[in-house]
Every structure is written in C-alpha cells, then in structure tokens.
Amino acid sequence: MSDTFPPQGPPQDPPQDPPQDPPQDFYQYADRAQDALLHMVRSVMREAAEDGLVGEHHFYLTYYTQAAGVEMSDRLRANHPQEITIVLQNQFEDLQVEEDFFEVTLSFNNQPERLHVPFAALSKFYDPSVAFGLMFDVEDPSEGALD
C-alpha cells in the first residue's frame, strides 16, 4: 500500500471539451436578482415619497432618456440625448412612485420639469450618504438605433 497522494495509476483521460451551448438557466437567477433589487429601490422611493427623505439620505438616479416610456421635455432630452442622472435631495416636488414607473418634478436651470421614468429605464441607483449603489442590466436603447 502506498502513501502517495494523489494516487498513482494509469493515466487519466484528458478533460473533455466544454459543452458548446451554455446550460439554460431555467430559474433565471440574474433576472430575479435584478427584479428584487428594483423592488428594493421602488420601496425606498415610495417611503421617500410618503414620508420625505430621512437623515442624510438622498438618491442619484441614472436612466436612459431614449428608453420606451420616458417622458421629459424636448429641451431636456436635447441636452441629455442618451443618459441623465437626477438627484432627489432637497429640491424635488410631487414624487409619485408606481409599480412600473416614477414621476417627479425637478428644476433644471430654474425651469420646472415633470419627469416620467419607467423603472425599466433605470441603469444606476446611488445613495451617497451611505455609499450604497446599484447598477442594473439595462440595454442602452441608442445601441440598437444604428443599422
């Protein structure tokens, strides 16, 4: 009996090539994780809409301006043709949070703007007061525009 490790013996067959097709994710883990994180953002925003922001919390929200369902003025979209980051801190009004979107009034160059943003357009969420941030797996709608 030998104390050699690993055991000595006939040569092993070489490793097989990996499968050509990746295994199918029937449980869709990445989609479920993103849905859960969006649900958390939605819940926090609802609390802020109902009770106001607590402590030093404030939100940076980045979204694609060309995404389906985004509503904003032509002037604002011309200044932000792909993405915009808005800040919900001190000067925002009438934040309304629904299941699939939020609406808020913000001031841009002393002009009030009502924004309608589907959560599906949200690419980033950040609360700098606690250094908590998320990036969402959202396709940039401008990338599909080139033919």
Side-chain angles (χ1 to χ4, degrees):
M1 190 153 152
S2 170
D3 290 350
T4 306
F5 188 82
Q8 300 296 317
Q12 302 271 332
D13 290 331
Q16 294 183 0
D17 292 332
Q20 296 297 337
D21 294 325
Q24 187 172 357
D25 180 6
F26 290 103
Y27 293 114
Q28 301 176 331
Y29 291 115
D31 292 342
R32 288 180 181 208
Q34 180 154 309
D35 288 345
L37 293 171
L38 276 172
H39 175 77
M40 185 270 311
V41 169
R42 188 181 306 113
S43 295
V44 169
M45 289 181 66
R46 274 195 182 123
E47 289 176 30
E50 293 169 5
D51 305 325
L53 291 167
V54 179
E56 298 297 315
H57 288 283
H58 56 289
F59 311 140
Y60 285 55
L61 300 155
T62 303
Y63 63 92
Y64 289 111
T65 59
Q66 300 296 329
V70 170
E71 296 175 16
M72 58 195 300
S73 71
D74 292 339
R75 177 185 66 86
L76 190 58
R77 186 170 279 133
N79 289 332
H80 304 276
Q82 291 184 314
E83 238 182 2
I84 187 171
T85 299
I86 60 172
V87 180
L88 302 185
Q89 187 171 13
N90 298 320
Q91 298 180 353
F92 66 93
E93 295 178 13
D94 196 24
L95 175 60
Q96 296 178 347
V97 182
E98 302 297 332
E99 188 64 24
D100 296 326
F101 65 89
F102 67 92
E103 293 182 329
V104 66
T105 301
L106 294 171
S107 181
F108 294 88
N109 296 322
N110 295 318
Q111 294 286 340
E113 294 271 357
R114 185 73 179 163
L115 306 174
H116 175 100
V117 182
F119 283 105
L122 199 62
S123 61
K124 298 175 192 136
F125 171 89
Y126 183 61
D127 182 342
S129 71
V130 292
F132 179 80
L134 298 169
M135 292 180 68
F136 296 101
D137 187 17
V138 178
E139 189 173 323
D140 181 347
S142 67
E143 288 180 6
L146 299 175
D147 288 329

